[in-house]
Amino acid sequence: MDLMGDGARLLNTRQNHEQRGAAGDIDMSTSDTDPMSATTPGTTPTDVPGTASVLLPAPRPSDALPEPAGTGASGTGTGTVHEIGGLGDFSDEDGLALREEAEIEARHRHAADLGDPFAMTALGTLLLRRGDLDGAEPYLRAAVTHGERAAANNLALLLHQRGHTDEAAEWWRTAAVAGSAPAAHALGRHYRERGDEPAAEYWLRQAAETGHTLGAYALADLLDHRREEAGAERWFRAAAEHGHREAAYRLARICADRGQSHEAEQWYRQAAARRHRRAALRLGTLLEERGETAEAGRWYLTAAKDGEARAACALAFLLRDAGDIDQAATWWRRAAQAGDGQAANALGALHAQEGETQTAERWYRTALEAGDINGAYNLGLLCAGGSRNAQAEQWYRKAAYAGHREAANALAVLLLQRGDAMGAEPWFSKAAEAGSIDAAFNLGILHAGREEADAARAWYERAAAAGHAEAALQVAIALQHDGDHHGAERHLRCAAGGGSAEAAFRLGALLERRQRERTGDGEEAAGPAAGLSVDEDDAATGSVEAGEWYERAARQGHRRAQVRLGMRAAKRGDVVDAAHWYRQAAEAGSRNGAFNLGLLLAREGAEPEAALWWTRAADAGHGRAALRMALLAARHGDLTEAQRWCARAVACGPAEVAERAARLTAAVKHELTA
């Protein structure tokens, strides 16, 4: 179903009525009291009380109208409405309404033909409402010769519809001077369209001060255009209090801009309840922001059904978040077909996730054609994902030149990957200055690679301040290097909270070291914090919080954190938990994990399996594991193999391991030569 369907056309009709131009309002009165001054805005002429049809008294039985010509002696025609042909095709209710209208028209026509100016006005108004300009004009002209104010207003409206604007303005002036608020409103709009704002303000103020709602709105709109905020707000409020939905919407915007969110919400609600689709959209947005998604969805749905594409798009995002992808896609499609670029991008992303790249590309292009530059960026991502780097660069450039900061960052990354650091740096800078925290972080990496530590740290700090986890980690490392452990802890917490496994591990190590210092549990081994090897003799104590951070890092696959958790479990005698974490680390390639798992298995009597893990660790450069293999080979009498592992242990170190391996080598040689 096309989004811009009947519902949208209905809404446009209402909006046009509220914001009508110099065409003005039909003056429905035939007396000096203008009933339009008490009407609510947004009503059609048929909603206005005091129409000509009810100002004349109902005919008494003795007031039978003359028999129309052609009725003859058959008695079939008495001039009553029920004999008018063509009513048989309508329902009883419709037929009754038509008969009543025809009877009223016949009475007005009879009285008008007898010279009654009130009837002339009423009949001319009725015909004007019906669109019979030729039929209405002579009656209205005849009525104005008798000084009928309403007739003057309505004649002006008729002339305006015919394109005779100057003569229409004269009759509006005549009616306005006589006190017609609708005429003053129409005359004010006429002058505004002509560019005569002083005259427009004068007549619109005349209408507004008599309580004419449309006049109050038009005056507010004029004052708002002239930046006279106080006056504009006063008259928007006056119109809104009488139910004018556009005035309520604009008053809500004023309140929202001032931070008066509660009052803004009330006016949005009033406008939205009268089917103002932009008010419904903003009310939905306000409710969604504070977590009231159910009610937000209802207002989005109301606005979407009335043709607001942005509301359809917002509704689709709510549906997606609720897991209803099919319905989300339906509303995105409607919004995209109505020209909403964000919806087209969302559809593109949806198809891209399903691997439907051609369909995704079509929707991204649709978004771009709708003026959403995100379409170009997403096309770049799509091409880059398909290794079409040349095309990706073209789309990134298009989006970057249009000011898309993430496209500028992506372009810089692409240039850097192909070795063009000079070309990448300006785009990183452009993106970072535009607020891309990824670009700021990447500039830090770029300067760090050039050993420009101060510049790198400045960009890292900028990205970290904006919440970039990896940048916060780099700042923390620099602070630790400077000895500022409190500052380092603060940044590590930010980074770890942002999902950095390395930061979580380092935070655990920092807290554990602090705990050891407080308890006097000796110096912490340098290994874990410095990234060096650790063995079973390392003390693995610390606070509960340190263990929690280690576990968070370990569950993210951080190998050193897994080894540290294994050590803590082994220290408390939990062999099963220790083996679990050592094995995870070892299988992920950690030589410390493999070595410690071998120790655990050896203690449990599984020496053959322990040898397998020590071999893996030794091959990866773990000196202690090589020394263990040398001792194992010597114990089994394989002195040549023992000598080979000793050489490996000496080469891998560290110093104390190399020293022990050298002594074992000498002993093996002695045995071999004995």
Side-chain angles (χ1 to χ4, degrees), residues 48 54 67 144 179 200 266 305 543 608:
V48 180
V54 297
E67 185 175 277
V144 297
Q266 300 310 308
K305 286 182 175 179
S543 68

Side-chain angles (χ1 to χ4, degrees), residues 324-578:
D324 193 344
I325 300 298
D326 292 339
Q327 277 297 308
T330 297
W331 284 106
W332 274 328
R333 188 170 291 105
R334 292 185 184 186
Q337 289 170 347
D340 189 280
Q342 186 180 15
N345 272 315
L347 277 173
L350 194 63
H351 287 287
Q353 289 172 2
E354 299 295 326
E356 301 167 354
T357 55
Q358 290 184 336
T359 306
E361 183 171 341
R362 186 172 72 249
W363 281 115
Y364 287 149
R365 288 181 182 273
T366 299
L368 187 57
E369 289 167 3
D372 191 334
I373 199 61
N374 284 310
Y377 173 60
N378 288 334
L379 281 166
L381 291 174
L382 198 65
C383 292
S387 300
R388 294 178 287 164
N389 290 343
Q391 289 176 279
E393 182 178 342
Q394 291 176 353
W395 288 117
Y396 286 151
R397 283 189 185 277
K398 184 178 182 68
Y401 278 121
H404 195 293
R405 64 190 187 190
E406 298 309 327
N409 178 63
L411 174 60
V413 170
L414 203 63
L415 294 171
L416 193 62
Q417 286 173 344
R418 73 176 190 218
D420 187 2
M422 294 297 292
E425 186 172 357
W427 287 112
F428 277 139
S429 297
K430 183 179 178 68
E433 293 299 338
S436 170
I437 61 173
D438 286 337
F441 176 68
N442 289 337
L443 275 172
I445 294 174
L446 195 67
H447 286 290
R450 297 172 183 167
E451 298 184 356
E452 298 167 354
D454 291 341
R457 183 165 174 176
W459 284 111
Y460 286 145
E461 287 176 346
R462 182 166 176 173
H468 196 287
E470 293 304 318
L473 171 62
Q474 295 303 318
V475 174
I477 291 171
L479 290 170
Q480 279 186 303
H481 184 267
D482 294 343
D484 183 358
H485 297 296
H486 289 290
E489 180 182 346
R490 180 167 55 85
H491 281 87
L492 286 173
R493 287 187 182 278
C494 291
S500 170
E502 178 66 21
F505 170 74
R506 286 177 174 270
L507 178 58
L510 186 151
L511 294 171
E512 191 171 51
R513 181 187 299 113
R514 183 179 299 165
Q515 181 72 9
R516 287 180 175 180
E517 291 171 353
R518 287 173 180 170
T519 59
D521 194 14
E523 293 286 335
E524 182 190 21
L532 301 175
S533 300
V534 293
D535 63 18
E536 71 276 17
D537 295 324
D538 285 328
T541 60
S543 68
V544 172
E545 187 184 4
E548 290 172 350
W549 287 112
Y550 284 143
E551 186 165 356
R552 179 180 294 196
R555 293 192 183 284
Q556 291 176 257
H558 193 284
R559 294 180 300 181
R560 285 190 293 161
Q562 290 166 343
V563 172
R564 187 58 62 88
L565 281 176
M567 293 165 61
R568 290 167 69 93
K571 185 175 182 65
R572 64 175 182 265
D574 189 343
V575 177
V576 174
D577 199 35

Side-chain angles (χ1 to χ4, degrees), residues 193-216:
E193 288 180 1
R194 294 293 182 89
D196 188 349
E197 290 194 0
E201 181 181 355
Y202 174 82
W203 289 110
L204 291 175
R205 196 174 291 277
Q206 292 293 314
E209 289 178 349
T210 61
H212 189 271
T213 307
L214 296 179

Side-chain angles (χ1 to χ4, degrees), residues 54 57 81 107 177 231 258 287 290 298 363 415 563 622 634 661:
V54 297
V81 176
R107 289 172 182 159
V177 169
R258 281 206 301 252
L287 291 166
R290 68 180 189 222
R298 290 195 293 272
W363 281 115
L415 294 171
V563 172
H622 196 288

Side-chain angles (χ1 to χ4, degrees), residues 58-148:
R60 297 183 299 276
S62 60
D63 294 334
L65 297 178
E67 185 175 277
T71 55
S74 64
T76 57
T78 63
T80 56
V81 176
H82 68 271
E83 293 185 3
I84 295 177
L87 297 183
D89 296 334
F90 296 89
S91 67
D92 291 342
E93 203 171 295
D94 292 336
L96 179 61
L98 288 173
R99 284 194 292 272
E100 288 176 350
E101 185 176 343
E103 186 179 52
I104 291 168
E105 179 182 349
R107 289 172 182 159
H108 289 335
R109 190 178 298 277
H110 175 65
D113 290 343
L114 293 177
D116 186 337
F118 295 96
M120 294 175 189
T121 300
L123 181 59
T125 299
L126 188 151
L127 295 171
L128 177 59
R129 285 175 50 205
R130 190 182 296 166
D132 184 0
L133 305 188
D134 291 335
E137 185 171 356
Y139 286 104
L140 292 173
R141 284 191 182 276
V144 297
T145 62
H146 292 280
E148 281 296 305

